[in-house]
Amino acid sequence: MAAILDISASVPEATIRDFTRACGRYRNELGNSQAVAIRRGTIALIKGLRARTAKAKRQAPLKDVTKYDGPGPHYITPKGKGQKPQRRWAIRRRGGQDEKTYIKPADTRSEARRRFAQYTRWGLAKHSWGWFMKALFKRGELTGGNPKTKIDERMTEGYLREIVTGENPRVEVLIVNKLDYIREALPEAALSEAMAAATRYIDGQIDKGLAKARKELA
């Protein structure tokens, strides 16, 4: 199949070969164009990647909420008559390479976590794969998750284009997820697993379609 697969990850050659063969079936057995075959195969791969991308929790773990023991008062009294002193809590917030600690007052540790340890963009890594579905394939974004997550050009980059050079047409697909913590959210073996899953899906889809066609002709 005249196509380019340039995968900057540790993926067994057999896995790549099987995936390429499966994409080729779209063209060779279903009569799709080369561009359509690669497009359908890439969509299946992206769905596999999304399924294997860990979704962040909605709030920081309880272990990241600790009693404040730094300089200054460890308790403060809220303004207002008859208010009781509240302990100050250190809430550690992690986000890729960034880590910040906020000092907030609350009556209990669990209250401090509930009020101040929420992640605004939880699930962003998982949701980011939807950008490729919408931008490259004009399909609806993969839905679900946090509606506040917004994907922009700082996080993702890619294209799908058909290049015709004489009698040697080819299709190039670029998919770059630039989130600084995507490798944490996507285990090392996930790309290989996603590609293998996409291969199984493609083969199953084509086999089912061909069997149905044969049954209708019988």
Side-chain angles (χ1 to χ4, degrees):
M1 187 173 191
I4 292 177
L5 283 176
D6 184 9
I7 302 172
S8 59
S10 179
V11 178
E13 291 185 8
T15 303
I16 297 175
R17 185 169 60 250
D18 288 344
F19 177 69
T20 304
R21 174 199 53 75
C23 290
R25 294 187 68 193
Y26 279 132
R27 184 185 69 173
N28 301 330
E29 298 182 41
L30 299 188
N32 292 156
S33 69
Q34 179 173 275
V36 170
I38 294 297
R39 173 182 178 273
R40 297 180 72 176
T42 305
I43 288 172
L45 176 60
I46 290 173
K47 288 182 176 180
L49 288 169
R50 182 182 187 273
R52 287 159 179 79
T53 301
K55 181 163 63 175
K57 302 295 184 182
R58 299 191 181 198
Q59 59 185 3
L62 193 59
K63 64 182 179 63
D64 284 350
V65 181
T66 58
K67 294 178 180 179
Y68 175 66
D69 59 359
H74 292 181
Y75 286 85
I76 62 172
T77 302
K79 293 181 179 180
K81 186 176 180 179
Q83 295 292 324
K84 296 181 179 180
Q86 291 183 318
R87 171 173 285 281
R88 300 176 77 195
W89 301 87
I91 297 102
R92 185 167 60 169
R93 301 292 298 271
R94 311 183 195 189
Q97 298 175 353
D98 297 327
E99 184 175 299
K100 297 180 180 180
T101 299
Y102 299 90
I103 311 302
K104 299 291 184 179
D107 290 329
T108 64
R109 185 184 185 193
S110 59
E111 180 191 352
R113 183 192 185 206
R114 175 175 52 82
R115 291 179 57 195
F116 305 114
Q118 303 293 324
Y119 290 131
T120 303
R121 299 196 301 175
W122 60 267
L124 180 64
K126 196 174 188 75
H127 183 62
S128 65
W129 299 110
W131 180 91
F132 299 103
M133 300 293 282
K134 185 175 182 180
L136 304 188
F137 309 120
K138 306 300 185 288
R139 294 165 66 100
E141 289 190 57
L142 294 166
T143 57
N146 184 357
K148 294 182 180 180
T149 55
K150 302 299 180 183
I151 312 300
D152 59 38
E153 66 277 1
R154 296 171 299 174
M155 306 173 193
T156 49
E157 178 185 357
Y159 60 76
L160 183 148
R161 61 194 180 202
E162 188 171 12
I163 301 172
V164 179
T165 305
E167 297 181 357
N168 184 32
R170 70 182 189 276
V171 178
E172 292 184 354
V173 183
L174 175 70
I175 295 176
V176 181
N177 195 319
K178 298 187 287 186
L179 285 176
D180 59 355
Y181 59 93
I182 191 64
R183 289 188 180 277
E184 297 176 19
L186 193 65
E188 184 176 351
L191 178 55
S192 179
E193 293 172 359
M195 189 170 290
T199 299
R200 292 191 297 270
Y201 170 79
I202 294 168
D203 282 336
Q205 186 184 51
I206 293 175
D207 290 342
K208 184 177 179 180
L210 293 176
K212 181 179 179 180
R214 286 193 295 268
K215 184 176 180 179
E216 292 175 349
L217 291 173

